[in-house]
Amino acid sequence: MSDKKYVTVTLVKSTIGRLPAHRACVSGLGLRKMHQTKTVIDTPENRGMINKVSYLLKVEDA
């Protein structure tokens, strides 16, 4: 279990007025409110969502 890598993502910009696909990526990462932080497993799927909406997020290695 400890061999999994994690990434901490924080929503720093609002999803209001964004594309529906970008809103879906943010909710797929488990983020709902501004300045909410979640730790997600570093998988190619999660990395793809993070890259798509990187302008809305702050990303840190956990």
Side-chain angles (χ1 to χ4, degrees):
M1 181 95 177
S2 63
D3 57 344
K4 291 185 179 179
K5 304 246 185 215
Y6 291 91
V7 176
T8 302
V9 291
T10 304
L11 185 62
V12 294
K13 286 190 177 181
S14 175
T15 58
I16 294 172
R18 306 298 178 191
L19 294 172
H22 291 198
R23 286 184 182 209
C25 287
V26 170
S27 67
L29 291 168
L31 299 168
R32 297 174 181 224
K33 298 180 178 181
M34 290 274 300
H35 306 292
Q36 183 180 10
T37 301
K38 288 283 184 175
T39 302
V40 295
I41 299 172
D42 192 6
T43 62
E45 294 83 5
N46 286 340
R47 275 291 173 181
M49 288 192 284
I50 290 168
N51 288 338
K52 191 169 198 173
V53 293
S54 61
Y55 67 100
L56 299 174
L57 304 174
K58 181 174 84 170
V59 182
E60 301 169 341
D61 290 332

